[in-house]
Amino acid sequence: MINNELTLTVNDNKIIACRRGANLFKVLCSAGYVFSGNCGGLGRCQRCLVDVKGAGTVKSCTYTITDNIQITIGEDNMSVLASYKGADEFNNVYNGDGRGIGIAIDLGTTTIAIEQIDMSDGSVTDRCGFMNPQIEYGSDVISRIRTGSTEDGLTKLRSSVVTRISSELAGMGYAPADISRIIISGNTTMNAILERLLLDNLGHAPFEIRNPDSITVSGKDFFDDERFCSAEVTCLPNLSAFVGADALCGAVVCNIDRSDKYQLFADLGTNGELILAKQGIGYATSCACGPAFEGMLRRGVAAPTTAFDLLNRLNLLHIVNDDGVLVDQYIDGGYRLAGGVTIDMDMIRSFLLAKAAICAGIESLMDMAGITAEDVSRVYLAGGFGCSLNISSAVSLGLFPDSFQGKSEFAGNTSLHGAHKCLIDKSFIDRIYAFKETLTAVNLGELEGFDRRYYSHMDLRPWTAQSHGTNKLQQKSRL
């Protein structure tokens, strides 16, 4: 009789029981190991690699457990961004309620960052970050929407993240009863999960949202835990199905709502959110980018740290041409890097699709505003990927117009920063609402000419005024 009960030994210090035939990735996720892979288990993104004794490095999402094994898991390549841009007038003025401990949370699809604040003076007393445990149910927003469209799936998604947040808060130096207020900034889907709202409305047109406004509940009800009886938990307002509180916070902390010239806010994480605005008017949209931009490499490989750096180097070496095609000798087997990563045409195509979506999104928003790239006075880059992006590489490969080179800056985790500001300044949430009222949510798929823009950016050539420019007077005549 075959014994179906097997064991995994992880890093020589943890033993996990499993069944023969189980998927290694799912077993590890269930045991608390969270990977930032984002390819849906297809084995393409290289982000769930583990070392199996006797078998070498394997992709855990495609590995079936057939015997007792020993594995080694290194540090995952996805760091949690818990820092943001330096002081401004709101960091110098404290206008909170002065009671207990405040908690600011950036609830990302891939990562979660938490900041602990002494509400007596607004000072930050602790920070932590970790991978979102919901990744077990799908790495991208669409997967979460699919899972959260049923009561059972929604309960599982919510329980996984609330349990982890509760555990982290309990270990941050203060008793849960000391917490007076918690502010959560996430995208529309992440917020809806915490608000116990089914996600079936987000999976199909017309993508109407059920949580446009902030929602506040008691900590006891939110966590289903008496220990949080003194806390009040608020999830911030969202603009549309795919432009959430995280993007609204980001744009406002960058003061785009007060600029007299158009500025661009780009949160490039698992989901790319774009806001082009100035005081009194603006346009916002989103497009998928994280799976390709963040999922090509893992920390520790002997190669550039981002997809843009990597492809820029390969392009300069003529290993990948301007059309995004590997030279003949690598077209079938791919180009192998040190560390076991292979760059193949599937990876490059996924990258080009994501890059083209971002480019077409930016170009579409500028067209709606009746401006050209030269008219954008400032570009703020936020999010985990955005803040590791090499601007020169991005411009060289056409992610941004060449005119963005000297006017782009990294703003850090602006979602966490916005939640922080809502704690230390009671009027800040009113400013978010005021900004939201000036914005038009744009569904790129419904825009005339979007397909043309999209396909025109499906290469690695620089984005110049000549290659993608449109006469401003012609633009304005169409509005």
Side-chain angles (χ1 to χ4, degrees), residues 277-478:
K278 62 179 180 179
Q279 188 172 23
I281 187 171
Y283 307 90
T285 194
S286 67
C287 36
C289 67
F293 290 175
E294 294 177 342
M296 289 181 71
L297 298 174
R298 60 176 184 144
R299 186 183 299 279
V301 300
T305 56
T306 73
F308 277 97
D309 288 333
L310 171 64
L311 286 182
N312 190 44
R313 180 179 296 185
L314 295 183
N315 184 243
L316 292 173
L317 293 173
H318 304 292
I319 295 171
V320 178
N321 67 25
D322 288 346
D323 290 319
V325 178
L326 286 162
V327 296
D328 290 346
Q329 69 187 95
Y330 302 116
I331 195 77
D332 292 325
Y335 182 80
R336 189 173 180 82
L337 301 166
V341 174
T342 299
I343 304 303
D344 57 24
M345 285 307 304
D346 282 341
M347 276 188 181
I348 295 175
R349 179 167 176 76
S350 294
F351 174 89
L352 290 176
L353 290 170
K355 177 248 179 184
I358 295 294
C359 293
I362 294 172
E363 194 171 9
S364 296
L365 295 188
M366 292 192 300
D367 186 59
M368 294 190 73
I371 64 173
T372 63
E374 288 72 19
D375 298 316
V376 177
S377 63
R378 201 73 191 155
V379 178
Y380 296 97
L381 301 174
F385 176 74
C387 291
S388 65
L389 181 65
N390 183 315
I391 294 295
S392 295
S393 295
V395 169
S396 178
L397 296 180
L399 176 67
F400 299 134
D402 53 4
S403 63
F404 282 12
Q405 177 76 60
K407 52 189 177 186
S408 300
E409 66 178 80
F410 302 112
N413 189 334
T414 53
S415 175
L416 183 65
H417 195 176
H420 169 108
K421 285 192 170 185
C422 287
L423 285 171
I424 69 169
D425 191 312
K426 291 180 288 188
S427 67
F428 192 75
I429 192 170
D430 295 329
R431 189 172 158 198
I432 293 174
Y433 267 109
F435 179 62
K436 176 186 169 184
E437 291 302 313
T438 69
L439 296 178
T440 298
V442 179
N443 185 338
L444 295 175
E446 296 177 351
L447 292 182
E448 182 180 353
F450 176 76
D451 288 348
R452 174 187 54 78
R453 290 193 178 102
Y454 184 89
Y455 289 115
S456 73
H457 288 281
M458 282 281 291
D459 56 38
L460 301 178
R461 295 178 177 85
W463 178 354
T464 65
Q466 290 73 33
S467 62
H468 293 282
T470 305
N471 183 275
K472 188 197 297 187
L473 293 178
Q474 291 178 338
Q475 286 181 319
K476 289 184 176 179
S477 69
R478 293 197 297 268

Side-chain angles (χ1 to χ4, degrees), residues 21-321:
N23 177 271
L24 179 57
F25 177 83
K26 291 183 178 180
V27 170
L28 291 173
C29 287
S30 296
Y33 295 94
V34 181
F35 300 90
S36 57
N38 222 338
C39 70
L42 299 177
R44 294 178 177 173
C45 76
Q46 310 282 345
R47 297 297 285 274
C48 66
L49 298 180
V50 300
D51 291 321
V52 177
K53 187 173 182 179
T57 301
V58 304
K59 300 171 184 175
S60 64
C61 70
T62 60
Y63 188 91
T64 300
I65 303 169
T66 59
D67 206 345
N68 298 325
I69 57 174
Q70 298 180 43
I71 66 175
T72 301
I73 302 177
E75 179 187 1
D76 186 74
N77 81 312
M78 188 65 171
S79 61
V80 180
L81 185 65
S83 61
Y84 41 75
K85 202 170 71 170
D88 58 22
E89 71 271 23
F90 281 96
N91 285 332
N92 296 324
V93 177
Y94 174 63
N95 184 29
D97 59 19
R99 182 173 57 88
I101 299 299
I103 300 293
I105 299 178
D106 163 43
L107 181 64
T109 306
T110 305
T111 63
I112 298 173
I114 298 178
E115 193 172 66
Q116 180 179 269
I117 297 166
D118 185 340
M119 295 296 284
S120 67
D121 59 8
S123 61
V124 176
T125 56
D126 200 1
R127 287 192 178 102
C128 73
F130 48 93
M131 305 302 294
N132 188 332
Q134 293 173 344
I135 288 177
E136 179 183 355
Y137 301 99
S139 296
D140 55 76
V141 172
I142 301 303
S143 297
R144 310 283 173 86
I145 290 173
R146 188 180 304 116
T147 301
S149 293
T150 66
E151 290 286 356
D152 181 60
L154 178 65
T155 298
K156 290 178 179 178
L157 287 173
R158 189 179 190 280
S159 177
S160 68
V161 72
V162 169
T163 299
R164 181 62 187 273
I165 290 173
S166 172
S167 174
E168 294 291 337
L169 293 182
M172 290 183 75
Y174 287 92
D178 295 328
I179 298 173
S180 61
R181 196 173 183 207
I182 299 174
I183 300 291
I184 300 175
S185 172
N187 62 44
T188 307
T189 299
M190 294 298 101
N191 283 353
I193 291 169
L194 294 190
E195 294 159 346
R196 294 186 172 93
L197 299 173
L198 280 175
L199 308 181
D200 56 307
N201 57 306
L202 301 179
H204 55 80
F207 305 104
E208 295 179 354
I209 63 173
R210 294 170 177 151
N211 54 345
D213 297 313
S214 62
I215 295 177
T216 299
V217 299
S218 70
K220 174 186 172 183
D221 291 340
F222 183 87
F223 291 102
D224 193 22
D225 189 335
E226 290 280 356
R227 295 180 302 163
F228 293 92
C229 59
S230 301
E232 178 182 88
V233 183
T234 298
C235 292
L236 294 175
N238 306 288
L239 176 66
S240 66
F242 299 106
V243 179
D246 51 354
L248 292 176
C249 281
V252 174
V253 298
C254 292
N255 293 314
I256 287 178
D257 59 320
R258 294 178 169 175
S259 172
D260 59 355
K261 296 180 180 179
Y262 274 107
Q263 297 183 339
L264 176 68
F265 172 81
D267 186 339
L268 303 181
T270 308
N271 189 49
E273 294 167 302
L274 307 170
I275 298 179
L276 179 68
K278 62 179 180 179
Q279 188 172 23
I281 187 171
Y283 307 90
T285 194
S286 67
C287 36
C289 67
F293 290 175
E294 294 177 342
M296 289 181 71
L297 298 174
R298 60 176 184 144
R299 186 183 299 279
V301 300
T305 56
T306 73
F308 277 97
D309 288 333
L310 171 64
L311 286 182
N312 190 44
R313 180 179 296 185
L314 295 183
N315 184 243
L316 292 173
L317 293 173
H318 304 292
I319 295 171
V320 178
N321 67 25

